[in-house]
Amino acid sequence: MTPTQCPLCGAQSLVPHEGTYKMYPPQNIPGGPLTVPAAQWETCTACGEEILPAALLAELETLRIERLGYLRPDQIRAVRERAGLTQTEMAVFVGVGEKTYCRWEAGRSLQNLSSDNLIRLADRVPEVFAQLTAQRDPGRQAVIDAYLDGLAADKGGSDLAMAAHGAELDATLAAQLRERLQALASQRSEP
Ligand SMILES: [Zn+2]
């Protein structure tokens, strides 16, 4: 194959590579190199630069997000779909602009840690969605009550759903939320 022109130095010295691609991330990302098997990229034999195609860059970004312990864009979307929310409703729930939220799902920007925690928590404890919505919009209480009654019926009576009936975060629910947060925290600290 004839070498092609390097976009950085202009030399006709770009050669294709195929195999396992390893990227050594910054030191604040633990766990050694990010590895993509069966990858394709190009290297310039003149200036030494590597030219990575968009697909490989996307795979590396996904690995980086996972390594940092954040939800991937497809995981955020899955949480929202499990909750039956639109992107607009999810943005309101998390407390960010709709454009910002859509960028997370599209993988164009990374959510901050507090948003990541809230989304994980709400996924583990679906009543959190209802609870927070009810606190901000008392007019929806009837809808919320119906939803929670349904949950309680499905699960043969969830204590958490019962606790969420009050418009305020009562002591029982608060204690269970703390437990969930601690469980999440210990899960995250495992290697
Ligand atoms: Zn070059």
Side-chain angles (χ1 to χ4, degrees):
M1 189 181 257
T2 315
T4 51
Q5 187 174 24
C6 172
L8 293 161
C9 70
Q12 293 286 335
S13 49
L14 220 49
V15 293
H17 285 270
E18 212 174 316
T20 299
Y21 186 85
K22 283 187 183 178
M23 189 185 87
Y24 292 86
Q27 287 181 345
N28 63 338
I29 302 182
L34 304 174
T35 304
V36 179
Q40 293 183 331
W41 70 98
E42 294 173 308
T43 307
C44 176
T45 55
C47 71
E49 274 302 326
E50 288 181 335
I51 312 297
L52 309 186
L56 178 53
L57 286 171
E59 283 194 71
L60 288 167
E61 177 63 7
T62 298
L63 290 174
R64 188 180 74 89
I65 290 171
E66 284 179 340
R67 185 71 66 80
L68 286 168
Y70 286 83
L71 291 167
R72 298 187 313 262
D74 60 302
Q75 291 175 316
I76 294 179
R77 173 182 286 267
V79 170
R80 177 177 63 75
E81 289 176 347
R82 275 195 289 276
L85 299 181
T86 64
Q87 290 185 324
T88 308
E89 289 167 336
M90 190 70 168
V92 170
F93 171 74
V94 182
V96 298
E98 190 178 346
K99 282 183 182 169
T100 297
Y101 177 76
C102 290
R103 279 197 288 271
W104 299 347
E105 272 198 14
R108 291 203 301 276
S109 70
L110 184 61
Q111 65 277 12
N112 59 30
L113 185 57
S114 59
S115 298
D116 195 89
N117 283 336
L118 177 57
I119 294 168
R120 283 174 190 270
L121 178 65
D123 192 40
R124 300 269 298 236
V125 190
E127 292 88 342
V128 167
F129 280 114
Q131 179 69 25
L132 291 179
T133 307
Q135 283 180 352
R136 299 214 172 87
D137 185 2
R140 289 194 62 191
Q141 190 62 52
V143 178
I144 304 299
D145 284 346
Y147 170 72
L148 292 176
D149 284 343
L151 273 184
D154 288 346
K155 297 175 182 171
S158 145
D159 289 340
L160 194 55
M162 294 306 168
H165 271 286
E168 292 176 8
L169 194 70
D170 69 24
T172 310
L173 180 58
Q176 294 193 35
L177 288 178
R178 268 196 301 278
E179 269 180 38
R180 295 286 191 165
L181 280 171
Q182 282 161 3
L184 277 177
S186 61
Q187 209 175 44
R188 273 170 173 253
S189 61
E190 285 167 17

